[in-house]
Amino acid sequence: MDRRAFIALSLALAATHPTRALAASDAQDVIALGGDVTEIIYALDQQHRLLARDATSTFPPQAQALPDVGYMRRLSAEGVLSFAPSLILSAEGAGPPEVIDLLRAASVDYVEVPEGYDATAISAKIEAVGAALDVTDKAKVLAEQTATALEMALARAKQTTGPRKRVMFILSTQGGRVMASGTDTGADGIIGMAGGTNAISQFEGYKPLSDEAASAAAPDVILMMDRSGDHASTDDELFSLPALQATPAAQNRAVVRMDGLFLLGFGPRTAGAVTALNRALYPPEPWHWPITCRTAASHGRGYSMSGWRWP
Amino acid sequence: MALADHLPHSRVARARILHVWLALALILVSLFSLTVGATNVTLGPALWKITTGEALTRMEAIVLWDIRMPRLILGLLVGAALAVGGAVMQGLFRNPLADPGLVGVSAGAGLGAISAIVLAGLAPLWLSRIAGDQLVPIAAFLGGWASTILLYRVSTRRGRTSVATMLLAGIALGALAGALSGILVYLSDDRQLRDLTFWGLGSLGGASWAKVVAAGPIIALALIAACTLGRGLNGLALGEATAAHIGLHVQRVKGLAILTVAAATGAAVAVSGGIGFIGIVVPHLLRLCSGPDHRPLLINAALLGALLLVLADVIARVIIAPAELPIGIVTAVLGAPVFLWILLRQRGMVDL
């Protein structure tokens, strides 16, 4: 086929799908709520359609240049509508409910992306975002890539020899009280995927632990979100908590800190998070605690599946 | 006959003039509140369209009618309820420190509201079907009512209210209500928990016509009842024995006052969460301006309370747009320094 014929054919094809071509490339009218949703939109290369994002959408770093409509659980109806979006793509649990009702009523397409903490949930999320943005084919490819990468990461994690490490995810240690993750949370999901065992299985969600319950849980490793640059003193503080002093984790000073959205986002980067957490939990000897995993900041059209590096 | 007739004339006149000024300012602020917001929808062009028979755009209709209008009405009602609740309580206890927020009545109402939110799923179906949207305001009213009555019973002996006992009992009741709320918070799931945290800071962000319908009648009734209390509270200021001697039905006044405070505070807390300082600052300011007569004071309190809350709400939603600040933060940041200033000015004039 010569070049002219190719162009003619392309034009003819484009003419048969005018609406799709328009929807997929031109309209800049989407608001993303939820860090995972924003990540998926960037991974699908649809970021040019974003008008604004919420405060939890911090990755990739370019997303932070977009206007911020505030914390996704405390949205302002008028604030969101002031961007005149035609589509709001939201993670589950945006609120308050009255505001969401208003947004739904305001001639806006409001698509809620289902939440979930396993491999199928991630694929479902990506396909839901793809369907809402009318880039179903692209989403299918990304979902498959993500699933394959995750399968490989899970297979690698399964090869881990020796007893499974008991991991306690600590959300915060406000006032010396350990707020730990029970079952049915992102933390529980990622710990299981990375070949560990959640040390807390007595309750659902995040709850404060009594000092004795924390000691009795006897975690081998503490898992936390990486919030600041300097951890030297906070490790001392962490392991001097009465709740943790008697645990094996404190004796080995075993703590893993990872970026919260990377660790708990359950999006395209989760395969990387599984591998990073698995390696952090079962480090090749010799190893020195503590371990901090950082996500790679570089991000362009090519999407990094395992954006982490060793300290 | 009435107490006000024996007060200096200038004060009475000043209170009457204040009605007019406050009402005018309230109308201006209300129009302003309908006009400003994160979107560039404004009232003027919309009104022009309505008068010329042109159709509003969907965006204009939703922003003005479904977002700003219920929000304004709730702001007016809640502000009036909080200020009047504070004024009535201060009259009832004959103490300027009494405030539904300070002495645990808001905490009681909050406990009622939180119970309704967290335990709504456990309520029998017939109950939630009958109560529906009214469940949370009713529960908040009952919580506020129970804590007001407890507070009054504990701190009053033989018709005399002990201020120290009232404050201490208020702190204890507030702590108890806080603890019981804590148990419910513990029972709630992750999502409810984060909702409740923000709810505690107060916001009119979730305003809707359903909420106006749910809380509006309760607050309106409380405000009407409060307007009839002026003479009774003036009488109570003389002490209960004297009040009874001048022909006042003391028990009826006290009962109605308690009911009013509970209804106003309960419904306001249920709709908007914890909003502080309106109840204590507004009556203080007004007494400084126009004296202690309760009859103009209660009406002025309703007007000024509504005015300040609507203003605070405008600040809350404009200052960090497109996001929104909890309104409790705004009233506390503005109210606390004003309160301190009032205290410093009054030192030596009022014996606490």
Side-chain angles (χ1 to χ4, degrees):
Chain A
M1 196 189 321
D2 73 346
R3 199 160 159 239
R4 202 174 280 178
F6 177 76
I7 292 171
L9 186 64
S10 313
L11 284 175
L13 275 175
T16 56
H17 298 288
T19 50
R20 166 158 299 197
L22 191 73
S25 59
D26 290 334
Q28 198 208 1
D29 52 10
V30 182
I31 290 183
L33 305 175
D36 48 348
V37 172
T38 307
E39 268 193 60
I40 292 170
I41 293 173
Y42 273 83
L44 290 171
D45 206 16
Q46 298 299 308
Q47 60 272 24
H48 55 281
R49 294 168 61 181
L50 285 176
L51 287 171
R53 45 105 201 179
D54 76 314
T56 67
S57 300
T58 53
F59 186 91
Q62 298 94 294
Q64 295 178 41
L66 290 167
D68 180 358
V69 296
Y71 182 48
M72 64 176 283
R73 304 198 55 72
R74 206 70 222 176
L75 295 168
S76 149
E78 221 189 309
V80 174
L81 286 181
S82 68
F83 293 95
S86 66
L87 170 65
I88 296 173
L89 254 174
S90 166
E92 221 175 83
E98 300 91 341
V99 169
I100 304 303
D101 288 344
L102 280 170
L103 293 178
R104 283 182 195 274
S107 77
V108 168
D109 279 334
Y110 187 95
V111 176
E112 194 175 68
V113 179
E115 182 70 80
Y117 310 121
D118 57 27
T120 44
I122 297 174
S123 295
K125 267 187 197 176
I126 294 173
E127 282 176 7
V129 172
L133 294 173
D134 207 11
V135 285
T136 322
D137 300 345
K138 237 177 182 172
K140 203 162 216 172
V141 173
L142 179 67
E144 270 164 25
Q145 280 176 0
T146 309
T148 314
L150 194 56
E151 253 166 51
M152 284 166 62
L154 290 175
R156 268 201 304 275
K158 248 186 208 132
Q159 288 168 8
T160 308
T161 52
R164 284 160 76 91
K165 292 268 174 70
R166 293 174 60 78
V167 183
M168 184 194 282
F169 178 81
I170 297 182
L171 188 64
S172 70
T173 55
Q174 201 68 52
R177 286 191 324 164
V178 171
M179 180 79 97
S181 163
T183 57
D184 198 28
T185 61
D188 184 73
I190 198 85
I191 289 170
M193 283 175 153
T197 305
N198 189 353
I200 308 293
S201 55
Q202 297 89 329
F203 55 78
E204 285 181 12
Y206 297 94
K207 288 199 165 39
L209 280 185
S210 75
D211 291 0
E212 284 185 35
S215 305
D220 299 307
V221 180
I222 303 295
L223 178 59
M224 291 187 86
M225 288 198 272
D226 181 17
R227 290 180 200 274
S228 57
D230 178 23
H231 312 298
S233 62
T234 53
D235 283 344
D236 289 338
E237 280 166 25
L238 182 68
F239 291 120
S240 62
L241 290 176
L244 299 179
Q245 266 175 6
T247 62
Q251 279 143 33
N252 299 321
R253 295 180 70 77
V255 58
V256 178
R257 292 175 200 269
M258 287 170 73
D259 176 77
L261 187 55
F262 178 52
L263 182 68
L264 305 176
F266 287 85
R269 291 185 296 160
T270 294
V274 167
T275 306
L277 181 57
N278 175 259
R279 296 230 190 124
L281 292 179
Y282 306 97
E285 300 291 336
W287 197 260
H288 302 290
W289 299 95
I291 295 175
T292 301
C293 302
R294 295 253 168 67
T295 49
S298 68
H299 181 271
R301 291 173 67 86
Y303 201 81
S304 158
M305 284 295 169
S306 52
W308 52 273
R309 66 174 176 82
W310 297 106
Chain B
M1 173 74 223
L3 196 66
D5 297 344
H6 308 291
L7 290 171
H9 178 71
S10 66
R11 268 191 169 171
V12 181
R14 228 194 285 176
R16 299 274 181 265
I17 293 167
L18 208 55
H19 285 334
V20 180
W21 281 115
L22 283 176
L24 281 176
L26 189 58
I27 292 169
L28 283 180
V29 167
S30 301
L31 290 175
F32 181 61
S33 142
L34 286 177
T35 291
V36 297
T39 58
N40 55 11
V41 173
T42 49
L43 191 60
L47 282 179
W48 179 250
K49 277 187 184 176
I50 291 169
T51 48
T52 57
E54 201 182 332
L56 294 178
T57 64
R58 203 179 154 80
M59 179 82 153
E60 283 172 328
I62 282 175
V63 167
L64 286 175
W65 183 248
D66 288 331
I67 296 179
R68 288 188 197 158
M69 191 64 99
R71 193 167 180 155
L72 169 66
I73 293 174
L74 274 187
L76 294 171
L77 287 170
V78 168
L82 292 174
V84 167
V88 169
M89 199 155 208
Q90 289 166 20
L92 178 68
F93 284 104
R94 271 169 282 153
N95 188 283
L97 263 189
D99 166 71
L102 221 56
V103 293
V105 175
S106 296
L111 174 61
I114 291 176
S115 315
I117 292 170
V118 177
L119 303 178
L122 305 178
L125 199 60
W126 60 265
L127 180 65
S128 45
R129 196 168 288 162
I130 292 172
D133 284 337
Q134 313 280 343
L135 192 62
V136 173
I138 289 173
F141 165 69
L142 291 178
W145 181 67
S147 44
T148 315
I149 285 203
L150 262 173
L151 182 70
Y152 195 81
R153 283 278 156 80
V154 169
S155 56
T156 306
R157 279 280 171 277
R158 285 186 220 96
R160 292 184 68 86
T161 304
S162 155
V163 175
T165 317
M166 177 199 72
L167 280 178
L168 291 176
I171 288 166
L173 284 176
L176 184 62
L180 294 176
S181 304
I183 292 175
L184 289 169
V185 166
Y186 192 85
L187 287 176
S188 65
D189 63 31
D190 206 31
R191 198 152 283 170
Q192 285 169 324
L193 190 73
R194 280 179 287 180
D195 285 343
L196 290 173
T197 311
F198 276 101
W199 183 82
L201 291 173
S203 172
L204 293 173
S208 62
W209 286 112
K211 281 191 181 174
V212 173
V213 171
I218 294 181
I219 294 180
L221 279 179
L223 291 178
I224 292 168
C227 289
T228 69
L229 278 171
R231 201 174 88 83
L233 291 178
N234 283 346
L236 277 186
L238 305 171
E240 286 189 20
T242 320
H245 283 309
I246 61 168
L248 201 70
H249 203 309
V250 174
Q251 285 313 318
R252 193 187 293 160
V253 169
K254 289 200 298 195
L256 191 59
I258 288 176
L259 219 60
T260 306
V261 170
T265 310
V269 167
V271 198
S272 60
I275 298 179
F277 287 101
I278 297 277
I280 199 157
V281 167
V282 167
H284 263 90
L285 273 176
L286 290 172
R287 270 193 295 265
L288 285 181
C289 283
S290 59
D293 183 359
H294 280 91
R295 287 170 310 167
L297 178 74
L298 288 167
I299 295 168
N300 280 335
L303 293 171
L304 185 60
L307 178 82
L308 287 183
L309 198 69
V310 170
L311 208 58
D313 185 48
V314 170
I315 293 173
R317 69 184 198 220
V318 168
I319 198 162
I320 56 164
E324 193 170 298
L325 215 57
I327 195 172
I329 294 175
V330 178
T331 57
V333 164
L334 299 178
V338 172
F339 188 48
L340 264 179
W341 174 74
I342 293 170
L343 286 185
L344 288 177
R345 267 197 58 157
Q346 274 189 326
R347 209 173 53 168
M349 287 161 65
V350 174
D351 182 23
L352 300 180

